């Protein structure tokens, strides 16, 4: 029979999901760049969609992290823009949602909501025009409203602006990068044999 022991376990884990989400966004963006450089475009809009979702989630998680660290009675379920304004105000920043990098947050939020809520809708168009076949393909009549941002340019802009906002707010917060990293600790104290 395998010996069993009696122990006292103390464990604590600090999970900071913003790191995982930002790493996912970084990885997907890198893969998008590599594939486009090789001329590989099959499924690329799916990867851009996934990357934008990760960027939107990472940015909100970063805001939640800073709010949790800096603001007493932080409300992580408040609307994203409201949370960003609270954190920014706490750190002496007046975010202008009409210019970058903060205007990107609004576009990301609209994109994220369009994807997350998954509501069906109908697009109806009745128009008469003269165009080439390529021009007809690019009219966007078949697109959902959020599909217009699924481009390499917006992926890059969203990622860069997420990083700009995060680095600026983190620096202003007085927190160190080490303060943002997850950790796990576990202590096991041997009490005795359980087979007695």
């Amino acid at each position: 029979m395998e010996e069993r022991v009696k122990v006292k376990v103390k464990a604590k884990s600090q999970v900071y999901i913003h790191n995982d989400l930002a790493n996912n966004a970084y990885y997907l963006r890198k893969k998008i760049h590599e594939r486009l450089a090789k001329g590989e475009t099959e499924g690329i809009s799916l990867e851009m969609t996934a990357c934008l979702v990760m960027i939107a989630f990472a940015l909100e998680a970063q805001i939640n992290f800073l709010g949790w660290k800096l603001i007493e009675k932080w409300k992580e379920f408040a609307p994203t823009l409201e949370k960003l304004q609270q954190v920014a105000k706490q750190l002496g920043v007046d975010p202008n949602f009409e210019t970058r990098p903060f205007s990107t947050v609004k576009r990301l939020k609209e994109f994220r909501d369009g994807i997350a809520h998954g509501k069906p809708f109908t697009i109806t168009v009745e128009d008469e025009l003269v165009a080439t076949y390529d021009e007809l393909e690019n009219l966007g009549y078949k697109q959902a409203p959020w599909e217009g941002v699924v481009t390499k340019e917006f992926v890059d802009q969203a990622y860069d602006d997420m990083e700009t906002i995060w680095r600026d707010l983190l620096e202003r917060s007085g927190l160190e990068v080490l303060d943002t990293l997850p950790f796990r600790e576990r202590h096991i104290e041997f009490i005795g044999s359980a087979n007695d």
Side-chain angles (χ1 to χ4, degrees):
M1 167 161 76
E2 187 176 344
E3 181 179 1
R4 297 179 54 78
V5 294
K6 185 176 183 181
V7 297
K8 182 177 184 179
V9 177
K10 285 185 175 182
K12 182 178 181 179
S13 295
Q14 200 69 56
V15 180
Y16 298 148
I17 190 67
H18 68 273
N19 293 308
D20 298 317
L21 295 167
N23 286 337
N24 273 283
Y26 173 82
Y27 176 82
L28 287 167
R29 180 178 181 229
K30 181 178 146 196
K31 288 296 175 190
I32 290 164
H33 280 252
E34 288 171 0
R35 290 193 58 220
L36 288 174
K38 295 176 187 174
E40 298 173 6
T41 58
E42 183 178 349
I44 199 77
S45 65
L46 300 174
E47 292 180 11
M48 286 190 269
T49 300
C51 186
L52 288 169
V53 168
M54 288 298 111
I55 293 168
F57 285 177
L59 182 58
E60 184 164 4
Q62 290 166 339
I63 294 165
N64 277 331
F65 172 80
L66 290 171
W68 176 71
K69 282 285 200 180
L70 304 172
I71 299 174
E72 191 174 323
K73 297 182 182 177
W74 175 247
K75 294 182 177 108
E76 72 271 2
F77 293 109
T80 303
L81 297 180
E82 182 181 308
K83 292 188 294 189
L84 177 54
Q85 287 174 320
Q86 287 176 1
V87 169
K89 181 180 178 183
Q90 178 78 17
L91 298 174
V93 175
D94 185 16
N96 180 350
F97 290 106
E98 302 307 315
T99 61
R100 288 182 64 192
F102 294 103
S103 62
T104 301
V105 177
K106 281 176 67 174
R107 290 180 71 196
L108 269 175
K109 174 77 171 108
E110 290 166 3
F111 166 80
R112 176 235 177 261
D113 289 350
I115 296 275
H117 299 299
K119 297 177 184 176
F121 60 91
T122 302
I123 300 172
T124 304
V125 176
E126 190 172 318
D127 204 355
E128 189 174 308
L129 54 103
V130 176
T132 67
Y133 286 110
D134 286 341
E135 290 169 337
L136 289 172
E137 283 294 315
N138 292 321
L139 287 176
Y141 288 145
K142 297 179 187 175
Q143 288 187 335
W146 52 265
E147 288 179 302
V149 299
V150 180
T151 65
K152 177 192 174 291
E153 291 74 26
F154 189 64
V155 166
D156 288 342
Q157 175 182 325
Y159 185 85
D160 292 345
D161 289 352
M162 172 194 69
E163 283 291 308
T164 298
I165 291 168
W166 170 242
R167 291 176 192 281
D168 180 48
L169 294 180
L170 183 62
E171 183 179 320
R172 290 170 184 266
S173 75
L175 296 169
E176 298 294 327
V177 171
L178 286 176
D179 298 325
T180 72
L181 300 177
F183 72 88
R184 290 183 172 91
E185 61 185 2
R186 181 174 66 176
H187 303 280
I188 300 175
E189 179 182 335
F190 177 76
I191 296 172
S193 174
N195 291 335
D196 298 332

